[in-house]
Each structure stands twice: as C-alpha cells, then as structure tokens.
Amino acid sequence: MPKVRTTSLSRRGLLAAGGAVGLGAVLAACGDEKKGSGSGSSSEKSGPWTFKDDRGLTAKAKSTPKNIVAFTGVAAALHDYGIEVKGVFGPTKTKDGKADVQAGDLDISKVEILGNVWGEFNVEKYAALGPELLVTAMWEKDALWYVPDESKDKILKLAPSVALWAAQTTIPKAIQRHEDLAASLGADVKAAKITAAKARFEKAAARLRAAAKSKPNIKVMIGSASQDLFYVSLAKTSADTLYFQELGVKFVEPKVNAAGFFEELSWENVDKYDADVIMMDNRSSALQPDALTSKPTWAQLPAVKAGQVIPRTTEPIYSYDKCAPILEDLAKAIEDAKKAG
C-alpha cells in the first residue's frame, strides 16, 4: 500500500502506507465492453445488470456497465479477463512515468488517472467520465480502498460501486470473485488463455505445497521497509500469505499492533525474529532491499547474509495469469533455501 505521510494516520491509511506489509490490497477496474487484447474477449450483454459484491450489496444498472473506473490493481485484473476500464485510481505511474507494479499489463497511457497516491481522487474528472461502475478492493469491512473518506459520499452518488475483499480471503477465492465480476461484465472466462493460466496456477500451487513439505524447518518473514521502521506482517491477515500458509509455508508470527495486521520495529530491533527467507514488499511506496545497504542491522540479518531475500507482491493482481508466477517464485525460493535463522 502506498506510503502515506500525514501527521495522523487512519487504520486504512496505515495499511496503505508500507506498513501493511502482510496486506496486499488494491484492486480496481474500469471497462469498455470490447475485445480484450489479451486473455479473454468480452461480449455485449443486453438487459439489466446486477452484481452482489463482498459487502453484501448488489450493484444494479439498466445495462452492462461500459464506463468503468477502478482501483489500479483491480483494473489490471479485469484487463487480464479482457475487460477494459476508462479510469483508475491508486498507484498507477511511478515518478519516472513508467507503469507502477500494481498496474500489471494496463496501458496507462489509455486510462484517465484520477489519483496516483493515497488520499488523491479527482471527483470532477471522475464525473466527466460518465462513470457507470466504480470498483475497488476492501481490506476492512465496508471500507473502499483508495476512495477518500472525505469525498466518498460525492463519489458514490455518481455510479454504482463494487468492493471485493483483499483481506479475509485467499488468493483462489479473490481470483474467483474478480472472475465473477469480469464474467458479469461480458468476459469470456472460458477463453483458452484464461484456462491455460488457471492450469499454470494450479500446478504452481502444487509445487509450492511440495516445496513447503520438503523444507518444514524453513521460516519466512513478511517485511516492508520505510526509512524509520521495519514492518513485519501477520500471514493470516492477507489473501496471499494466508493462502501460502494453507499450502504449508511457515511464517514468523509477529506481535501485531491494535490494528491486527503488522508489528512495527525500529531498525535497531529488526533482528527480533529469526527467519530463513524474507519476503520484501515490492510496492513503489516501500524501500527496496538495495536501498537498505546503509542500515547495518539489516545487513547482519541471517537471511540477508544468505542471499535469501525475495520480492513480495504485497497487493496481488487477482487473475490466474498474475498470481501463478507469485507461487512459482516462492516455491523456488523455498526449494533453494538453506537454514539461516
């Protein structure tokens, strides 16, 4: 989640801030009903459209929404199913103008970016798009990811909304919900590319399960770095790491703060937990391992010394195409890992 530099952070803001380490979350999508250039093709559907989201609310429209606006990660997932969006909000473009990691295969030059950081959402631009559907992720019940609380009422008056869980779920369940939404919007979820990606995902899951079983003593720590703090996430609070845990991966269990997602450690105390592999938050809002060379305590961690630090896709794009490589990479890391901590 994006770094949020405010004097007082809401719980959601903290999650969005790098500190959400074990919390990947962010989804979104906007869409034209047109052929997807990649995964599946979308087909025109006539008549009333409805979709029951993960809040338990049913979004309704007289016809299938075409002008879709979504959280960047959700938009990227819908793109993989052949559903395109008109606008996005959330981390989309890096400082050098390139696509953010959360944008997946989106062509960011073809979408209206309504906000690129936490708290940023241009309501006027949103209204000008003539939105027919707003889609985002949900880390906490009824809290719309990257939809600012102060302008939420104005935003939600302009179009029906859909929120899909990014926490309190697992990768397969989250993918299924994104697929359900894409199908309702006209995607061909039986397209060859999608079924091939699903087969790859299932094979990768079996590989990760086997790797975890073969290395039962390997312990993994979920980390995210900022200049002043190192965050250790609790595996069961995020869809990705909860699923890895279900597949048998052993994780460090931090003493989480009141919010329940992660523990903040000073850099002096970064060695509090023994770990053989460290998964580091890959979001642009978090410091990456090559930026931590000036932190002597980081360099002394056994996993760092052993070269067993890997990226973590903290906010997965919930399509089979994007999640299969995540499982493959973690499986390989565990297969190759030696006891370090």
Side-chain angles (χ1 to χ4, degrees):
M1 290 135 241
K3 285 283 179 198
V4 183
R5 301 195 180 282
T6 58
T7 50
S8 82
L9 288 177
S10 67
R11 183 175 168 190
R12 271 204 306 156
L14 270 173
L15 296 185
V21 72
L23 280 162
V26 105
L27 319 116
C30 313
D32 280 336
E33 294 280 334
K34 60 185 179 186
K35 294 256 179 172
S37 57
S39 344
S41 61
S42 58
S43 57
E44 291 288 343
K45 298 174 76 175
S46 59
W49 173 88
T50 63
F51 184 83
K52 187 174 182 179
D53 76 357
D54 292 348
R55 294 171 295 181
L57 301 180
T58 299
K60 299 178 181 179
K62 292 180 180 178
S63 61
T64 304
K66 297 179 182 180
N67 289 349
I68 304 168
V69 173
F71 178 81
T72 304
V74 176
L78 291 179
H79 170 83
D80 286 351
Y81 284 100
I83 301 297
E84 303 301 340
V85 305
K86 286 290 179 66
V88 296
F89 54 96
T92 306
K93 186 184 291 189
T94 60
K95 290 178 182 177
D96 59 5
K98 295 179 180 177
D100 189 275
V101 66
Q102 295 186 52
D105 293 333
L106 284 178
D107 183 344
I108 63 171
S109 70
K110 293 183 178 178
V111 293
E112 183 77 54
I113 300 173
L114 304 177
N116 199 56
V117 297
W118 183 261
E120 190 176 85
F121 191 113
N122 191 313
V123 182
E124 290 73 24
K125 281 187 179 181
Y126 177 58
L129 288 175
E132 296 172 339
L133 179 65
L134 177 82
V135 192
T136 191
M138 184 168 64
W139 286 87
E140 297 179 286
K141 181 66 173 169
D142 299 330
L144 302 182
W145 194 235
Y146 273 79
V147 176
D149 288 336
E150 56 272 21
S151 53
K152 181 178 68 176
D153 291 345
K154 287 182 182 178
I155 293 166
L156 295 181
K157 283 178 182 176
L158 295 172
S161 63
V162 164
L164 300 177
W165 274 119
Q168 301 186 37
T169 187
T170 61
I171 286 180
K173 291 177 182 177
I175 292 175
Q176 185 60 56
R177 291 296 286 147
H178 285 71
E179 185 170 290
D180 291 345
L181 177 60
S184 81
L185 295 170
D188 176 9
V189 298
K190 301 299 183 184
K193 189 170 182 180
I194 293 171
T195 55
K198 183 175 183 179
R200 179 184 174 187
F201 176 87
E202 290 171 345
K203 183 178 178 180
R207 178 182 172 186
L208 180 54
R209 187 188 296 277
K213 187 175 182 179
S214 70
K215 296 282 186 78
N217 295 322
I218 295 297
K219 187 168 283 191
V220 180
M221 181 161 67
I222 311 160
S224 185
S226 70
Q227 192 58 45
D228 300 320
L229 294 171
F230 184 79
Y231 303 87
V232 182
S233 286
L234 188 63
K236 69 179 183 180
T237 56
S238 293
D240 61 332
T241 46
L242 173 58
Y243 183 52
F244 304 155
Q245 201 168 44
E246 289 181 352
L247 292 175
V249 178
K250 305 294 192 302
F251 286 100
V252 165
E253 296 197 6
K255 293 180 172 60
V256 296
N257 61 20
F261 291 105
F262 52 83
E263 177 180 3
E264 304 105 322
L265 298 176
S266 66
W267 283 103
E268 289 75 18
N269 295 315
V270 75
D271 61 352
K272 179 175 179 179
Y273 299 105
D274 291 331
D276 307 296
V277 175
I278 303 176
M279 299 177 69
M280 289 295 288
D281 187 348
N282 75 339
R283 292 171 304 165
S284 55
S285 56
L287 291 182
Q288 299 306 303
D290 60 3
L292 301 177
T293 53
S294 63
K295 308 282 188 187
T297 49
W298 167 258
Q300 292 305 309
L301 293 178
V304 176
K305 284 183 174 181
Q308 294 175 175
V309 178
I310 63 171
R312 176 197 174 206
T313 304
T314 303
E315 298 192 44
I317 293 166
Y318 289 113
S319 68
Y320 291 113
D321 183 70
K322 295 299 182 293
C323 288
I326 294 173
L327 300 184
E328 292 165 350
D329 291 346
L330 181 55
K332 185 179 189 307
I334 292 176
E335 289 164 357
D336 295 345
K338 294 179 174 60
K339 193 68 186 166

